[in-house]
Amino acid sequence: MGGKLTVKDKDHLISKSKNNKKLENNRSKNLYKDRTDEQDKSAYIDRRKFKKILSIFMIFVIIGLGYTGYKINKVKNGAVEVYIGKEFLGLVRDKDEAISIINIIKEDVSEEYEAKASLEEDLKFESVYAKEERISSKQELAKAIQDKVEFIIEGYAINVNDEEVGVLKSEEEAQEIINKIEESYLKKLDKDRKVKESKFLEEVEISKTKVIPKDISEEKELIEYIKTGGEEIKTHKIEAGESLATIAEIYDTSVKDLEKANKDIDTTDLKPGSEVKLILPKSKLTLETIEEIKYNEDIEYNIVKEKDDNMYKNEKKTKVKGSNGKNKIVSNEIKHNGILVEEKILSKKTDKEPIDEVIVEGTKEIPKTVATGEFTMPTRGRISSPYGRRWGRMHRGLDIAAPHGTAIKAADGGTVSFAGEKGSYGNMVEIDHGNGYKTRYAHCSAIHVEVGQKVAKDKHISNVGNTGRSTGPHLHLEVIKNGVYQDPNNYID
């Protein structure tokens, strides 16, 4: 086996070698072909993947571009609706714009009322999209805020018995109102008197509060309201001749208000003694003042009567003239709003004792011839000529026309001081009544008494005649008081 190769063996080896090469070549060809197929397949797959990736990429690009456009459009058309509570104020691009405008208005309000202003309700914002033409201008938003937004500021309330009667911008202004009301009532008091104490009966408090600026009180109006804003019910008892109109005038009210307060009665048929209710204005604040005063008080004297048997019953005389005594008083006068409601006596000292007046009265029966002090008509007839000027001169008596011979009687008791003929008087009788009065009866036809005779009232003393200066039968009657002629009509009953 280890010898040389034969030709046949060489040919066999060559042939085998060629077959191996051929086989190798075929194998290589097949391998190349397989590799080529594999590469083509891989390339196809890669192309599919690329297309898919490219498609996805393009989708993302399109989406990205759309989103970017959306974001750009959103930023461009984004807006904010501004509300106060449920009240729509306007539409702005940025809420900071609304906040800026409302802060400016808030500063103006704070400056005007000299107090820090704030919103009664917070602003509300809602994001929306809106085109430019819908956006509110600054002026429109500012006007809407001024018209619809209520600002509140710090104020100081005056409370009377826990009732708020008004609000001022500052504590000093509120206190000034109270001071002015107190001063107005103190002015009603006597300047010469010393006020020991003054205080309001009600509980008055000034407290910090929140208030709408328009509700800040005006000083003059608030003072008037505090002084007249309350009500007081009184009753008035009707007197003869009174009506609702006269009662309204007395209490400085109106008939309409009286009718309103008295719906339960017939105000058209008021009778004396019935009562009418009055609703009168009353101050919400009552300033009580206490003044110490000193004064003299009269002590009235008593009248003591004594009897005298030597005097007639119609006679009396003053034996001792009475005089009042004096008390020195120190007291406290308590007044409400300047009106006296009570006086408290602190001390009373008698400075002078009173002196009783003593009057002496008669006990003797009065004779009929003593004057009673009252005159009766001396005869029956008509007044033909009164007392006064007549025919250019004074007619000092009263002429009573009556038939000739009619009886003439004494007008009152007294003593005959003249009886006879006396010039133009003709036949005349004069009676002195002893009390400063005299009466004369003239033109008589007959005389039935004589001088010095005491006559009683209604005594027949003469008759009607036409003597002396006379134009017909009548009685000329004269009344003389302490030497002065009087009009008889003022004395004759």
Side-chain angles (χ1 to χ4, degrees):
M1 294 281 308
K4 293 183 181 180
L5 291 175
T6 65
V7 173
K8 187 177 180 182
D9 291 331
K10 288 181 180 179
D11 289 337
H12 177 76
L13 288 171
I14 292 170
S15 175
K16 188 177 180 180
S17 175
K18 286 182 179 178
N19 287 334
N20 287 337
K21 283 184 180 180
K22 186 177 179 181
L23 183 60
E24 185 70 30
N25 287 334
N26 288 335
R27 193 179 290 169
S28 296
K29 285 180 181 179
N30 289 334
L31 181 61
Y32 173 76
K33 184 178 179 182
D34 291 339
R35 286 180 178 174
T36 302
D37 291 341
E38 187 70 29
Q39 288 176 350
D40 289 343
K41 186 177 179 181
S42 177
Y44 173 76
I45 292 170
D46 289 342
R47 285 196 301 274
R48 289 280 305 269
K49 286 182 178 179
F50 175 75
K51 286 181 181 180
K52 188 174 182 180
I53 291 169
L54 182 62
S55 297
I56 293 170
F57 174 74
M58 290 303 293
I59 290 170
F60 276 108
V61 168
I62 291 169
I63 291 172
L65 290 173
Y67 181 74
T68 301
Y70 166 77
K71 292 293 286 183
I72 292 171
N73 185 61
K74 182 177 180 182
V75 171
K76 183 179 179 182
N77 293 320
V80 178
E81 289 180 335
V82 186
Y83 292 87
I84 185 80
K86 294 183 179 180
E87 191 75 43
F88 175 73
L89 299 177
L91 188 64
V92 294
R93 288 295 181 203
D94 188 347
K95 71 177 183 179
D96 288 340
E97 182 181 343
I99 293 171
S100 174
I101 292 172
I102 206 160
N103 283 339
I104 292 171
I105 297 173
K106 193 188 298 182
E107 288 175 8
D108 290 342
V109 173
S110 298
E111 185 176 340
E112 180 181 354
Y113 290 95
E114 299 176 353
K116 185 179 179 181
S118 58
L119 290 174
E120 191 172 19
E121 293 185 75
D122 292 333
L123 288 180
K124 293 180 182 178
F125 302 97
E126 291 188 10
S127 297
V128 294
Y129 300 103
K131 293 183 179 180
E132 189 63 32
E133 58 267 23
R134 289 183 57 207
I135 299 299
S136 305
S137 68
K138 290 182 179 180
Q139 291 79 9
E140 289 172 337
L141 182 59
K143 187 177 186 308
I145 291 171
Q146 290 171 336
D147 291 344
K148 299 176 181 179
V149 175
E150 290 284 12
F151 289 92
I152 55 175
I153 62 173
E154 282 189 352
Y156 289 83
I158 299 175
N159 301 293
V160 179
N161 288 343
D162 294 329
E163 176 195 353
E164 184 181 292
V165 296
V167 181
L168 284 304
K169 289 189 291 186
S170 69
E171 187 174 7
E172 292 74 20
E173 287 179 322
Q175 186 61 52
E176 184 65 19
I177 293 289
I178 296 170
N179 293 343
K180 285 186 176 181
I181 292 173
E182 181 177 9
E183 288 170 9
S184 71
Y185 290 130
L186 288 174
K187 283 180 180 178
K188 292 183 178 182
L189 307 179
D190 192 328
K191 293 180 180 179
D192 297 329
R193 296 182 179 180
K194 181 181 178 181
V195 178
K196 293 173 60 178
E197 184 182 340
S198 68
K199 65 179 180 180
F200 287 112
L201 297 182
E202 297 80 10
E203 185 178 342
V204 184
E205 181 185 26
I206 297 173
S207 60
K208 189 181 289 187
T209 187
K210 296 288 186 181
V211 63
I212 298 171
K214 67 181 180 181
D215 290 339
I216 292 290
S217 305
E218 291 291 335
E219 179 184 297
K220 186 177 180 181
E221 293 176 358
L222 180 55
I223 290 175
E224 182 65 21
Y225 171 70
I226 292 174
K227 293 178 75 173
T228 62
E231 287 185 346
E232 181 180 18
I233 298 177
K234 287 188 174 182
T235 56
H236 175 85
K237 188 170 285 188
I238 301 296
E239 295 183 6
E242 285 188 333
S243 64
L244 281 191
T246 56
I247 296 170
E249 186 176 353
I250 292 170
Y251 292 96
D252 192 24
T253 186
S254 68
V255 172
K256 186 176 180 180
D257 286 341
L258 286 175
E259 290 175 337
K260 186 178 178 181
N262 295 274
K263 292 180 179 179
D264 55 335
I265 65 172
D266 183 1
T267 54
T268 61
D269 186 27
L270 298 177
K271 296 177 181 178
S274 58
E275 292 184 342
V276 172
K277 286 186 292 186
L278 300 109
I279 301 176
L280 302 176
K282 180 185 177 183
S283 178
K284 287 182 173 291
L285 282 176
T286 307
L287 182 70
E288 182 178 82
T289 55
I290 300 176
E291 302 169 86
E292 184 176 287
I293 61 170
K294 298 178 181 179
Y295 61 94
N296 291 326
E297 176 189 61
D298 283 339
I299 307 174
E300 292 187 356
Y301 61 83
N302 295 317
I303 297 177
V304 178
K305 293 182 179 181
E306 293 182 355
K307 303 297 182 180
D308 189 335
D309 296 339
N310 296 317
M311 296 171 58
Y312 293 116
K313 286 183 178 180
N314 66 336
E315 292 180 320
K316 64 181 179 179
K317 64 181 180 180
T318 302
K319 183 178 179 180
V320 179
K321 180 70 175 175
S323 63
N324 289 335
K326 296 287 182 184
N327 278 330
K328 284 188 175 181
I329 305 291
V330 179
S331 72
N332 279 341
E333 280 192 351
I334 301 172
K335 295 180 179 179
H336 289 173
N337 295 342
I339 299 171
L340 181 66
V341 293
E342 185 182 359
E343 180 181 4
K344 291 184 177 180
I345 303 296
L346 302 179
S347 66
K348 180 186 288 189
K349 182 180 179 182
T350 301
D351 188 49
K352 177 187 173 184
E353 294 287 352
I355 298 174
D356 290 343
E357 183 165 292
V358 181
I359 297 175
V360 180
E361 296 179 340
T363 60
K364 279 172 51 174
E365 289 295 328
I366 302 170
K368 293 182 178 179
T369 57
V370 174
T372 64
E374 296 180 355
F375 298 112
T376 57
M377 183 65 76
T379 192
R380 293 181 179 181
R382 64 178 179 83
I383 307 299
S384 58
S385 184
Y387 175 90
R389 296 198 67 80
R390 184 182 70 172
W391 305 326
R393 64 181 187 175
M394 192 66 184
H395 181 238
R396 295 191 177 95
L398 184 69
D399 289 350
I400 304 167
H404 191 279
T406 302
I408 298 172
K409 298 178 180 180
D412 199 3
T415 302
V416 177
S417 53
F418 184 89
E421 186 178 353
K422 190 170 183 177
S424 61
Y425 285 100
N427 294 327
M428 185 191 82
V429 174
E430 180 183 89
I431 299 175
D432 186 349
H433 300 285
N435 53 6
Y437 285 94
K438 289 182 178 180
T439 51
R440 288 177 179 174
Y441 311 83
H443 309 308
C444 301
S445 59
I447 295 174
H448 305 295
V449 292
E450 54 187 30
V451 175
Q453 181 180 343
K454 294 187 180 296
V455 294
K457 188 174 188 175
D458 293 329
K459 168 71 176 175
H460 184 186
I461 56 173
S462 62
N463 297 87
V464 173
N466 192 27
T467 58
R469 188 183 296 169
S470 173
T471 57
H474 70 281
L475 166 64
H476 175 80
L477 175 67
E478 291 181 355
V479 176
I480 303 168
K481 179 182 179 182
N482 298 323
V484 180
Y485 289 92
Q486 307 291 320
D487 183 352
N489 263 324
N490 294 334
Y491 296 89
I492 301 298
D493 185 11

